[in-house]
Amino acid sequence: MNDRTGYAMLFASDLIGVEISPHGVTCALTGGSPASPRVERVSHTPFSPQTLQISLREQNILDPDAFVAGLKSAYNLLLCNSPRVAVSLPDATCRIMLLDLEGRFKSRTEALDLIRWKLKKSIPLDSADTYIDYQQLAVRENGDLALLVAIASHTVISQYEDLITQAGLSPARIDCNVFNICHTFDRRLSLHDGCILISFYGNTLSIVAFSQGIPEFIRSKYLPGTLATDSRVYMELISSLLVYKERFPERPEQSVFCVASPDVAQNFLGMVAEATGVTPVLLETKGAVIPGNSAPGDQVRLFSCTAAIGAALRSL
């Protein structure tokens, strides 16, 4: 949303990954190389209840002082001097969609105007409070541009930016967990021309289908109060897969990957297998990065850092 929202890997410099959720702040510092990423340190500071609530339209942070204090605490635990952070927010703070636009445009401003016009009836926010960003994914055979579009509230994003800055940090990027989970497992996913990634992370079910290495279907559903294997999650998964199959009926059977908390991972795999008819493969954060001397190496502790690690991997 801030800078370029999307799935493309961006190798900036010395970015610290920061995931923000109603439960607290998780930070990750990474190193190594794109081919052999390493997690150097991770940290977490919990929020007290009623510090933050997720909303698309309303300000998320209910207790700014507690938010700033928690962010400072988690950041200081990393023992790092760089103030530049890549921030990962819950998917429900924005709307993500894939869009095809006819022809080319002369500038980014022209592109944003065209996107706003095409989506004017489906934007879920007041036009004066709408922030739109996009990333070009591909050029279709007919010349249309395939775009990944993010829509968010200025009110929501500005509050995060202002309070992160108040904490003494510089938000170089702000985007969503679904993208940063993809970043964490980029090396594995990039081995397949077509695959589906199904994750349950932060009480959010996300389905991302890839074709020729780019997303062709994205759907995230925030399901507060649910477990990964609840019937409500299963029904949302079935519904999303039906929409995907209706949209792309010609797609052959694809590899399916899953991301879920270690305590429910095997049951989640079974649920996904039943929904897709395919035996899925579990992706684990501990297999995506090499733990440094000051970082945990077990999946139980690393799983909750998945989005923060994905955001931090932009620095390699």
Side-chain angles (χ1 to χ4, degrees), residues 16-29 39-49 51-52 66-79 88 177 201-202 294-296 300-309:
I16 294 166
V18 176
E19 181 195 348
I20 297 170
S21 79
H23 304 294
V25 180
T26 300
C27 297
L29 178 66
V39 57
E40 303 290 0
R41 292 188 187 91
V42 297
S43 63
H44 176 76
T45 297
F47 286 144
S48 59
T51 298
L52 185 151
F67 176 85
V68 171
L71 179 55
K72 284 183 175 180
S73 174
Y75 169 78
N76 289 336
L77 290 172
L78 286 184
L79 305 176
S88 189
N177 288 345
Y201 187 91
S294 301
V300 171
R301 287 184 290 176
L302 281 179
F303 172 77
S304 61
C305 306
T306 302
I309 289 173

Side-chain angles (χ1 to χ4, degrees), residues 60-197:
N60 286 199
I61 301 162
L62 307 179
D63 188 338
D65 290 342
F67 176 85
V68 171
L71 179 55
K72 284 183 175 180
S73 174
Y75 169 78
N76 289 336
L77 290 172
L78 286 184
L79 305 176
C80 177
N81 293 324
S82 172
R84 299 180 70 245
V85 295
V87 180
S88 189
L89 298 179
D91 296 348
T93 57
C94 73
R95 288 289 183 269
I96 304 296
M97 58 186 69
L98 296 165
L99 177 69
D100 281 7
L101 276 187
E102 297 179 5
R104 304 295 180 94
F105 22 78
K106 299 176 182 178
S107 66
R108 189 169 186 82
T109 300
E110 181 183 354
L112 291 171
D113 287 342
L114 287 171
I115 293 169
R116 188 180 295 271
W117 175 80
K118 187 162 186 177
L119 296 178
K120 60 183 177 181
K121 293 184 179 179
S122 56
I123 292 177
L125 299 166
D126 181 85
S127 60
D129 189 45
T130 302
Y131 179 86
I132 298 177
D133 204 353
Y134 76 94
Q135 179 186 339
Q136 180 177 318
L137 298 175
V139 179
R140 305 289 190 198
E141 292 182 0
N142 63 0
D144 288 357
L145 300 180
L147 305 179
L148 180 62
V149 178
I151 300 171
S153 162
H154 275 296
T155 299
V156 171
I157 301 304
S158 295
Q159 187 192 31
Y160 278 110
E161 289 178 328
D162 291 346
L163 292 177
I164 291 167
T165 301
Q166 187 176 319
L169 302 177
S170 175
R173 286 183 67 113
I174 298 178
D175 59 10
C176 296
N177 288 345
V178 63
F179 299 126
N180 292 311
I181 292 170
C182 289
H183 282 300
T184 298
F185 301 107
D186 176 69
R187 288 186 300 151
R188 184 67 180 273
L189 298 174
S190 64
L191 298 175
H192 300 263
D193 288 337
C195 63
I196 300 175
L197 177 65

